[in-house]
Structure formats: C-alpha cells, structure tokens
Amino acid sequence: MNDNAEHIGKEEKSLFAAPPMGEQERMVEAVLFASAEPVTVRDLEARMPHGCDAAEALVHLRKRYEGRGVRVMRVGDAWAMRTAADLSFLMQKETVETRKLSRAAIETLAIIAYHQPVTRAEIEEIRGVAVSRGTVDQLLEMEWIRFGRRRMTPGRPVTFVVTETFLDHFGLENARDLPGLKELRQAGLLENRPLPGTPQFGDGEDEPEADAGQSELFED
Amino acid sequence: MNDNAEHIGKEEKSLFAAPPMGEQERMVEAVLFASAEPVTVRDLEARMPHGCDAAEALVHLRKRYEGRGVRVMRVGDAWAMRTAADLSFLMQKETVETRKLSRAAIETLAIIAYHQPVTRAEIEEIRGVAVSRGTVDQLLEMEWIRFGRRRMTPGRPVTFVVTETFLDHFGLENARDLPGLKELRQAGLLENRPLPGTPQFGDGEDEPEADAGQSELFED
Amino acid sequence: MNDTIPFDNDPLPQAEPQSVADRLAAEALIVDVDGFEGPLDLLLTLSRTQKVDLRKISVLDLARQYLGFVEKAKELRIELAADYLVMAAWLAFLKSRLLLPPDPTEDGPSGEDLAAHLAFQLERLQAMRNAAAQLMARNRLGRDIFVRGLPETVERVKSVTYTATLLDLMQGYARIRTRDEFRPFVMDRESVFTMEQALERMRGLIGFAGAWTDISVYLPEGWDNDPVRRRSATAATFAASLQLVKEGKAELRQPGTFEAIELRRITED
C-alpha cells in the first residue's frame, strides 16, 4: 500500500482510500519541517492526498516528538516545528574572551579588599579620583564585591566588601591574608621608602579596622 | 544532574559526566533541525556540553528517523536533516527553481565529479572541446565545484573538485557514492589514457595524487 | 582492443553512407553542425549508426563516415570550424594506417593503437554523458528533497571574562598607597624668595646706598622671623647683590669671616 501510494498520481489516489495514518503523519512531518511558516490544518490537507486527516496526523506527530529535541507546536491556528526551548543554548555559539581588568577596577578592588568595609567616598579619597559607577557595577557583576552593612554615619552610606568568589579567584582564605604594605615592600612591589611620619595602612594602626571588617565579611 | 549542569559554567561541567546519550541525541536533533546547512561533527561537539559524543548520538538519531518524513543524512563530513524524497509531491510550494544548466556545464560537472581532482586540460581532453570560462565560472558560483590542489606537473595547473554543496544537492554521502563510479573505474574509463605516441606530462606521477583525490576531497 | 576493430574489406572506397536513411541522417547532421560540441561529439553521434557497443565499434567505418560528412559539408559550402578539419585530417591518416599493411621501418603507434585510443575516447565521453544524466536524475535538493524551511540562525554570544591576578591587585594597591611618595618634586613657593624678586627689590633701593650697608637690611619685610623664609631671603638677596656687583652698580665687602656683608653703590662720574 505504501509503495503503491507513491506510484499513483494524486487524482487516482482519491479513488482509493486515504494513505494509512503513519504515512499521513510522515507527510505532515515533512511539510512542517520544510515550510518557512506555520501551516494550518486546512493548508496541510490541501497539500496532502484526498481524504487525509491532518488534524489526527498532527496528534500522532505531536506525541511522537514529545520530549524530543524538536517540538510540534501550535502557533495561532497553524502548526509549526521548533527546537525544544530547553535546548536554546545550543543555538548560541559562545565565544569567551578573557580580558585584563582595567587599572581603575583593580585599584578599586584593591582598596575594597584592604579597607573593607569601605564606602564609595572612602575609595575616592584613597584613590584620589572619582570612582565611576561602571567600575563598581563591573566588580559587583563579577561577584568579586558586594554591598556590606551601611555605615552608621550621616547619610548612612553603603559599604563594599569582597566576596567569597573574590577569595576563590585569588586563592585567599580570607581578606586578612592579603599582604600588608610591609610585605609588599619586602616583595619589591614598593620601591621607595615612605616619608617619615606618613601613616601606613596595614601597619599597626589599621589592624583593628581590618579586623572589624573581617567579622562582617560574610554576613548576609 | 541535568538541572545542575545548566547552572554550572562550562569549565566546571567538564568535571562532571557528559549528559546521557538520550539527551545528547536530543541536542544533535535540535541543532540539525535548526540548520539548513549541513553541520559537522566537530561543530556539533563545539556547541554541545563538554564530553559529548556527537558521532554516537548521530547513529542513534539517524536510526530514529529511518522511514520518517524527515531524514538524517550524511553530507561529506557533515550531517543534515532533509525531507524524504518520496514526499516531494507535497512540496510544490517549497520547490526552488534551479537555473537550467547547459549541456556543457552538466558534462563538465560530471567529469569533475568522476575524475577529481581534474585539470581544465583534462576536462577538455575528455569532452574533445574547449571548456568555456563561463561554464566553470557558473559551477564555481553555484559552489558545486571549487579549486583543488595544483597538479605537480609543469605549469602547476589548477585542479577542480566537487564541494559539499554538490554532495548535498545530489543527496550523496560522499563523492565515492557517485552512481556507477565503481563500474566506470573497473572499465578503465576514469583513467587518463594518453594518445599513443604522445609524451604526456605527469604520467604515473599523477596516479598517487589521483588516488588521493577521493580522500582529500574535503581537505581544508 | 585490436580484435575489436574489424577490418572489413568494404568495397566502397568513398565515404558515402550506405543507405538512403543514413544519407538523410548525415545531411541532418550537417544542418545541425552548430549543435555539436566539437568533432568528438560528432563522432559519437555518427557511431550510433553502427548500433554496436562502443568497444566493438569499427573505427574505420567511423572514419569513413566522418570524412564523408566533411566532404558533404564542403559540397554544401558549409564552413566547418578548424577543429573539425583537423580531426578529418587525423582520421584520414588513421584510415590509411588501418588500411595499409604496417610499415616496419616506421616508428610511432600502429593504426590499431590509434584506433583503440579513439574508441576509448568515445567510450569515455559516452560514459561521462551517461553519468551526467544519472547525476541529474538523482533526487535533488530543492526539487525532491527539502531543507528546513525556517532555519534558526546561530546566535553568537560574546562573553567577556575579566581576570586579574593577586599580583595585579597588590601592585594596584601599592600604586595607590605610595602615590604621595612618588609625587614629582614641587618647590614650596610659599617660603621661597627668588633671586629675581631680590634683584628687583634691590634695584629700587640701591640708589640710597651711598654708604656701606649690611645687606641684611635689604631683606624684605616679614621674611626675617621664620628661619626657612629668612634663609631663602638671605640667599636670594646675597645672590642679587653679586649680580649688582657684576653689573658694576655696587661693591661688596666683608671685614672678616662670619662678619656682616656690606654693600655700597658705585657712583658713575
């Protein structure tokens, strides 16, 4: 029957019974696949041999594609085949580009790491330059910093602290592991001697503040 | 596992097992379905999660679509989904009017397909007439042929080979599947037999290259 | 291959086709000469009149037919392209080779070899034509087989990952914390009295210095209390005095070591 159906022209076919449902299902499948737009049941039947029941074929086809990578979907009063929504990630070609963090971002991040919790105004004071919103947003987005407790001072400014993601990335157990200025100097990262009488962060005076910071580092 | 996999970045995913084969099959199905062009195994795997075996998934998928209205077809090194040929009568709407090829173009195409890699001089020798530039240009433009390696004979003539687009158009898995290829070869009709008494360049020298022809068909 | 070329002793020396039908066919060929794709194509068409496998074709007959065709074309004053004539000459040569007993003194390929090659060329061309027909008769994309009607384009998502090392971080911090130490040297202008200032001041005052005067008298007001300012002003005033001496407007003297330096104007007369 199947073979016959293929060799007999459309007109003659109408004299015979409609093709078996399995065959009708194949037809609907092929038309939906190749069509550039959704196809109505009426259109389907107009294209299929006489006596076909496209609606029923669609029910079968739809069941067949259940849970597959491709779905038979209703679009208005027409039908179409689409890739499964959960596989949409396959339709994207991801290219990952690794870029060095900008100098502004590194400096801001460093200040937050060494001085946390720290307000934006404090960061600006230390850097001596305004901190752009984009820089802070970028660090927040990267999840290297997050908002800490509000400072209990006028205006109740928000503070920033570094996150666990930050510690992970830099291989630190906690922010206290960051080397102090003295160690930076010993490591040759600071070349010149400080001016006498210049207070140094991380040198004694800052310790209590840094300590206070740590306790609220992972608060929620 | 599945849910997790979606929330974990690509790098971390490699630490876990690849998705189950059923899931991989769905992915291959979705990608092939969505693309009008054949997709290589390499491309498939680049788009699928790490550790997937697209080739194996393709075997399953191909079996699944056996006898359906849509087929999974191999085109050279790539794979594509195409409607079953016996349902073409449903597709008047989708039929693309292809440019009518001249007899010269058709013959030239066949000669390139069966004799590839083949030089223009060899095509002319077989047809007994000069090959017009327009004929070759047309075939190149249709992307049915492309330039192959230069022949290592005096003048280093350029050769022509057929493309993946050619295979796709004629529903061939690869150039070895050309109809009657084996018989023609056995009958010695694909040999480049020189006119007795005329010295021919590249006698013998060409043989290994001609053999390599099939294997280097889709070299890059 | 040699045995496939029958050496029939055709009594007809000329190349006239044998029957009326053949003759008509030949004339039809000539009328259609533009439709042929060269001599090989014509030969292939002529060979069909032999109605045999191309491997068993009589090349001699074929050569006769071809030469007959060319003759006929000449009679009808039809211009034949050069390659048809070249082929005719070659076939005439081949015909003579095939008909005459081989000359042992002559080298080169035998008539049989040449005939076999021509038969091979015809067979190969026919094979390619058959192959082309088979190829074109295949199920073809866009006619019998169809692609996805609504392909989804692959969206290219470019994601940028920013990285920094601990060293970057520490260097960044070090850079900020040591910025003050690195700042370029800038003179504290507040406590500096320049030589230019002193010179200007002294030019105004020198006119009154008729007698020896301690140059400390020339220090500007307010510069003698703060030691830093006094040092600067003293140095500048002394330098300005030297300049005036150099210009010949004043003379300097110091009675003894660490004693006051005195200045007096020189009157020009």
Side-chain angles (χ1 to χ4, degrees):
Chain A
M1 173 75 215
N2 202 359
D3 256 346
N4 279 344
E6 286 178 32
H7 295 295
I8 300 168
K10 223 174 182 179
E11 286 73 43
E12 285 110 309
K13 251 186 224 167
S14 65
L15 299 173
F16 301 87
M21 191 41 71
E23 205 47 33
Q24 294 189 33
E25 196 193 315
R26 284 183 76 226
M27 294 177 188
V28 171
E29 184 179 35
V31 171
L32 292 191
F33 173 84
S35 177
E37 46 207 56
V39 189
T40 62
V41 170
R42 222 171 111 173
D43 274 355
L44 279 169
E45 284 179 356
R47 286 164 82 164
M48 290 161 74
H50 190 83
C52 281
D53 184 344
E56 200 194 326
L58 271 163
V59 172
H60 292 292
L61 190 68
R62 196 175 199 186
K63 198 166 279 162
R64 184 182 292 273
Y65 276 95
E66 243 164 46
R68 305 291 317 145
V70 171
R71 298 281 165 82
V72 178
M73 293 167 75
R74 197 187 181 112
V75 183
D77 58 356
W79 293 83
M81 280 169 91
R82 297 271 188 270
T83 54
D86 67 308
L87 297 178
S88 63
F89 71 93
L90 292 169
M91 302 305 142
Q92 300 177 339
K93 211 174 229 172
E94 250 183 80
T95 51
V96 180
E97 198 181 302
T98 309
R99 269 191 228 163
K100 270 244 180 253
L101 208 55
S102 70
R103 184 176 159 149
I106 285 179
E107 287 184 7
T108 304
L109 182 65
I111 293 166
I112 295 170
Y114 277 91
H115 295 264
Q116 64 173 349
V118 63
T119 67
R120 183 194 215 101
E122 286 161 355
I123 297 168
E124 293 185 345
E125 199 191 318
I126 295 166
R127 278 196 73 214
V129 211
V131 174
S132 83
R133 201 189 159 72
T135 303
V136 173
D137 284 352
Q138 186 187 12
L139 293 172
L140 284 168
E141 207 178 287
M142 290 173 79
E143 294 181 15
W144 279 1
I145 65 167
R146 61 176 179 81
F147 295 112
R149 256 188 232 149
R150 281 186 185 276
R151 189 61 59 77
M152 299 309 269
T153 51
R156 294 180 38 77
V158 80
T159 62
F160 296 102
V161 294
V162 291
T163 63
E164 213 154 340
T165 311
F166 165 89
L167 297 176
D168 271 352
H169 182 91
F170 292 96
L172 297 165
E173 287 224 350
N174 58 55
R176 253 172 311 198
D177 288 351
L178 280 170
L181 277 196
K182 218 186 277 169
E183 286 135 304
L184 292 182
R185 189 170 296 116
Q186 278 160 3
L189 291 167
L190 295 180
E191 271 138 41
N192 69 332
R193 302 175 52 76
L195 288 174
T198 310
Q200 293 285 303
F201 282 102
D203 277 357
E205 202 184 331
D206 279 341
E207 295 312 338
E209 208 191 314
D211 263 354
Q214 296 307 331
S215 63
E216 62 178 343
L217 189 54
F218 302 117
E219 52 154 5
D220 269 338
Chain B
M1 167 78 213
N2 204 1
D3 254 347
N4 280 343
E6 285 181 31
H7 294 295
I8 301 170
K10 229 177 181 171
E11 288 74 43
E12 284 109 313
K13 249 186 225 168
S14 65
L15 299 174
F16 301 89
M21 190 42 70
E23 205 46 34
Q24 294 188 33
E25 194 193 316
R26 283 184 76 225
M27 292 177 189
V28 171
E29 183 179 32
V31 171
L32 291 192
F33 178 87
S35 171
E37 307 289 318
V39 185
T40 63
V41 171
R42 219 170 106 179
D43 271 359
L44 280 168
E45 284 180 355
R47 284 162 73 174
M48 292 161 73
H50 190 85
C52 282
D53 184 346
E56 199 194 325
L58 273 161
V59 172
H60 294 295
L61 190 68
R62 190 178 208 183
K63 201 166 276 164
R64 184 181 293 273
Y65 275 91
E66 246 163 42
R68 307 288 320 145
V70 171
R71 298 280 168 85
V72 176
M73 293 169 80
R74 191 192 183 116
V75 184
D77 286 344
W79 294 81
M81 278 172 96
R82 302 284 181 249
T83 60
D86 67 293
L87 298 176
S88 63
F89 69 94
L90 293 167
M91 308 293 174
Q92 280 102 335
K93 224 175 166 178
E94 279 76 30
T95 303
V96 189
E97 249 341 293
T98 34
R99 216 179 341 164
K100 201 113 172 80
L101 279 179
S102 67
R103 186 174 133 182
I106 292 170
E107 274 183 32
T108 303
L109 178 67
I111 290 168
I112 294 170
Y114 283 83
H115 290 262
Q116 65 175 349
V118 65
T119 66
R120 183 190 216 105
E122 287 161 353
I123 299 168
E124 294 184 342
E125 148 87 20
I126 293 167
R127 295 196 63 228
V129 70
V131 174
S132 83
R133 197 182 165 77
T135 302
V136 173
D137 284 354
Q138 188 185 12
L139 294 173
L140 282 169
E141 205 179 289
M142 293 172 84
E143 291 181 27
W144 279 1
I145 65 167
R146 63 174 178 82
F147 294 110
R149 257 190 228 149
R150 282 186 184 276
R151 189 58 62 78
M152 299 310 270
T153 52
R156 292 180 45 74
V158 80
T159 62
F160 297 100
V161 294
V162 290
T163 62
E164 214 163 83
T165 310
F166 166 89
L167 297 179
D168 195 17
H169 184 90
F170 291 100
L172 294 163
E173 286 214 354
N174 57 55
R176 270 168 298 235
D177 289 351
L178 283 164
L181 184 73
K182 214 201 223 162
E183 293 76 8
L184 288 172
R185 183 172 292 139
Q186 278 165 357
L189 291 168
L190 300 183
E191 285 163 30
N192 184 16
R193 209 181 287 176
L195 182 66
T198 42
Q200 288 274 313
F201 288 114
D203 252 3
E205 202 181 330
D206 276 348
E207 294 313 332
E209 215 191 311
D211 262 353
Q214 296 294 348
S215 64
E216 69 173 348
L217 190 56
F218 301 114
E219 47 149 9
D220 270 29
Chain C
M1 256 288 174
N2 286 353
D3 56 340
T4 62
I5 299 151
F7 280 81
D8 53 346
N9 294 317
D10 196 339
L12 294 168
Q14 86 287 46
E16 276 301 302
Q18 292 86 343
S19 68
V20 179
D22 284 349
R23 218 171 295 145
L24 286 173
E27 277 181 27
L29 286 176
I30 295 164
V31 172
D32 197 30
V33 73
D34 285 340
F36 287 108
E37 297 216 38
L40 212 53
D41 185 25
L42 174 57
L43 277 168
L44 198 54
T45 307
L46 289 172
S47 73
R48 277 191 205 118
T49 61
Q50 294 190 17
K51 294 190 177 74
V52 288
D53 184 341
L54 276 171
R55 285 169 187 253
K56 299 195 182 95
I57 198 167
S58 162
V59 171
L60 190 61
D61 275 354
L62 194 57
R64 282 187 184 129
Q65 279 178 282
Y66 187 92
L67 294 170
F69 166 83
V70 172
E71 278 304 308
K72 190 90 189 164
K74 269 190 202 152
E75 275 171 36
L76 294 172
R77 293 166 193 273
I78 291 171
E79 289 272 336
L80 284 179
D83 51 348
Y84 286 87
L85 302 176
V86 170
M87 178 61 91
W90 188 80
L91 286 172
F93 163 76
L94 174 61
K95 197 174 108 181
S96 68
R97 279 250 163 154
L98 287 172
L99 290 175
L100 295 172
D103 179 353
T105 61
E106 219 177 326
D107 15 315
S110 68
E112 286 83 357
D113 287 344
L114 294 174
H117 185 72
L118 180 61
F120 166 74
Q121 280 183 295
L122 291 174
E123 197 191 347
R124 184 173 61 179
L125 180 59
Q126 187 56 54
M128 280 302 107
R129 292 201 169 154
N130 295 342
Q134 271 184 285
L135 193 61
M136 299 317 271
R138 284 185 69 84
N139 287 326
R140 290 164 60 184
L141 205 65
R143 191 188 69 183
D144 310 293
I145 296 173
F146 296 85
V147 304
R148 171 69 177 143
L150 197 61
E152 287 165 54
T153 47
V154 176
E155 201 187 326
R156 282 184 196 270
V157 181
K158 193 167 138 193
S159 61
V160 181
T161 309
Y162 290 95
T163 60
T165 63
L166 191 56
L167 191 68
D168 293 331
L169 194 70
M170 294 189 306
Q171 278 173 335
Y173 188 63
R175 199 161 52 225
I176 304 160
R177 297 316 305 171
T178 56
R179 186 154 21 214
D180 291 343
E181 302 164 37
F182 283 129
R183 96 191 155 111
F185 180 75
V186 181
M187 285 285 284
D188 191 350
R189 300 256 160 205
E190 285 270 295
S191 326
V192 173
F193 193 67
T194 64
M195 196 195 89
E196 285 73 27
Q197 285 173 300
L199 198 57
E200 201 173 314
R201 180 178 166 78
M202 292 190 66
R203 280 192 209 281
L205 298 173
I206 190 80
F208 305 101
W212 291 105
T213 324
D214 186 341
I215 59 166
S216 63
V217 171
Y218 294 95
L219 291 188
E221 263 173 70
W223 285 78
D224 47 357
N225 295 327
D226 178 20
V228 175
R229 286 167 75 87
R230 192 175 62 237
R231 269 199 300 275
S232 175
T234 305
T237 302
F238 177 64
S241 305
L242 290 175
Q243 181 60 32
L244 290 172
V245 172
K246 194 179 164 194
E247 288 172 10
K249 288 183 174 141
E251 48 189 347
L252 279 172
R253 71 171 188 193
Q254 187 177 29
T257 314
F258 296 120
E259 284 188 45
I261 297 166
E262 294 171 331
L263 175 133
R264 188 180 67 179
R265 112 180 114 100
I266 291 174
T267 37
E268 310 128 57
D269 31 24

